[in-house]
Amino acid sequence: MDQEAGPDWAAYRRRLGDRIRETRLHRNMTQEALADQSEVGRSTLQTIEQGGPEAPRLAALWRIARILDVPVQDLLRDDRPSN
């Protein structure tokens, strides 16, 4: 039976982490500075940027996006290549 494959959540979390890291570096911020300003623990931020094993909380992503001055939907966008 041919079924459409479900989302690859691990790959999605890696892309999300990459977008956060790239945006943070573009803003010349350290992980520590972003963690402090967003009130997200540094280890949590590090885990998110590494595409950790669990989905980050939306509240944490919202606070990170606010400090990075980007809409949270920019961080959450699905930019998988089309088939």
Side-chain angles (χ1 to χ4, degrees):
M1 189 184 289
D2 219 6
Q3 292 183 355
E4 186 175 321
D8 181 351
W9 292 112
Y12 180 82
R13 288 190 307 271
R14 283 190 301 272
R15 289 190 305 271
L16 169 65
D18 289 345
R19 280 191 294 277
I20 291 171
R21 181 176 37 262
E22 289 166 6
T23 305
R24 175 178 60 77
L25 292 173
H26 182 74
R27 304 257 188 300
N28 296 313
M29 292 186 81
T30 64
Q31 276 186 343
E32 186 173 290
L34 179 55
D36 287 347
Q37 292 178 39
S38 65
E39 298 179 359
V40 171
R42 186 165 182 258
S43 63
T44 299
L45 179 59
Q46 185 175 27
T47 299
I48 292 169
E49 285 191 0
Q50 293 174 348
E54 295 183 14
R57 293 180 165 268
L58 184 56
L61 293 176
W62 184 86
R63 290 192 306 267
I64 290 167
R66 184 174 49 86
I67 297 304
L68 292 175
D69 195 29
V70 297
V72 72
Q73 58 265 34
D74 284 3
L75 298 178
L76 293 172
R77 76 179 185 274
D78 186 5
D79 57 359
R80 290 178 296 172
S82 305
N83 290 339

